[in-house]
Amino acid sequence: MSRILESRFFNRPTLAVAHGLLGKYLCRRRGRRIIRAMITEVEAYDGPRDKASHASRGRTVRNTPMFGPAGHWYVYLTYGMHWMANIVVGKRGYPAAVLIRGVEGINGPARVTKYFKIDKRFNSKPAARQTGLWIEERGVRIKRSDIKHSARIGIAYAGPVWSNRRYRFHLN
DNA sequence: ACGATGATGAAC
DNA sequence: TTCATCATCGTA
């Protein structure tokens, strides 16, 4: 049994969605083939005050998807070569997203997008089967005690308050 | 430890 | 229009 996650799942507080994504499956259809992998690591970027978030300096062309409806993708290029896959969460107008940092067997957000062949084509598109990139519940139960939380990676510029927040969640 | 590699946003 | 900065990775 499996269930494709829809906006009712993503339209919740950012940290709750981040926790909830662990154990869910990132799914990609290319032609007839579908690849799936369990999400094992995520990071939350929560609201306009979060100094580590692209939205901390207001709305721009790039970060516009973060202000849009929950359950849509926010995909952007970093370091001139790596795509980052984020799912938008929370209410419209409130900029928040969860970065998918790792799936089973693949660690690192750039490796995830490389493996799943995710790029700007998905930016602002809904996570849905029709789009070719979506997220499924497949019956994996994650115990609260199996979720580790720690500081987010690569965001020291955000200052001590925001860089020390334990907004990174992972299994193991 | 550091270079790759280019879009972004802010300053000028 | 220029410039520093980046939600990183692979090689050392």
Side-chain angles (χ1 to χ4, degrees):
Chain A
M1 75 159 214
S2 68
R3 170 176 72 93
I4 294 178
L5 300 183
E6 313 215 39
S7 64
R8 106 176 39 79
F9 177 88
F10 299 107
N11 190 9
R12 293 187 293 141
T14 309
L15 299 188
V17 177
H19 278 110
L21 282 173
L22 297 174
K24 303 299 191 291
Y25 282 73
L26 184 61
C27 308
R28 175 84 162 92
R29 174 175 53 78
R30 287 172 44 81
R32 288 177 185 75
R33 291 203 176 280
I34 295 177
I35 56 174
R36 293 180 171 88
M38 192 178 75
I39 296 169
T40 55
E41 182 182 354
V42 298
E43 274 177 5
Y45 290 85
D46 187 24
R49 294 161 50 91
D50 182 351
K51 290 297 184 204
S53 170
H54 287 167
S56 68
R57 280 173 294 186
R59 187 176 184 146
T60 64
V61 172
R62 177 175 64 169
N63 68 24
T64 290
M66 294 188 77
F67 292 80
H72 288 228
W73 296 106
Y74 173 41
V75 180
Y76 68 91
L77 189 67
T78 194
Y79 297 108
M81 61 187 99
H82 301 307
W83 295 103
M84 300 286 110
N86 302 249
I87 188 80
V88 175
V89 304
K91 293 193 300 189
R92 247 187 139 91
Y94 181 82
V98 176
L99 170 66
I100 299 177
R101 282 195 62 89
V103 299
E104 213 170 14
I106 300 173
N107 302 312
R111 288 172 164 184
V112 169
T113 55
K114 186 179 179 188
Y115 177 73
F116 279 89
K117 295 194 163 51
I118 297 168
D119 60 27
K120 65 182 176 186
R121 300 195 315 277
F122 294 98
N123 190 38
S124 82
K125 297 280 196 313
R129 193 180 174 86
Q130 183 155 11
T131 311
L133 183 65
W134 67 95
I135 299 174
E136 285 178 7
E137 156 72 53
R138 296 179 70 80
V140 175
R141 299 288 298 178
I142 301 297
K143 283 184 293 189
R144 191 102 182 163
S145 60
D146 289 334
I147 299 177
K148 301 272 192 290
H149 52 103
S150 56
R152 292 172 290 182
I153 306 294
I155 54 132
Y157 60 85
V161 172
W162 291 97
S163 61
N164 289 331
R165 289 217 172 175
R166 302 247 202 284
Y167 279 5
R168 172 176 175 243
F169 304 98
H170 54 107
L171 299 177
N172 243 338

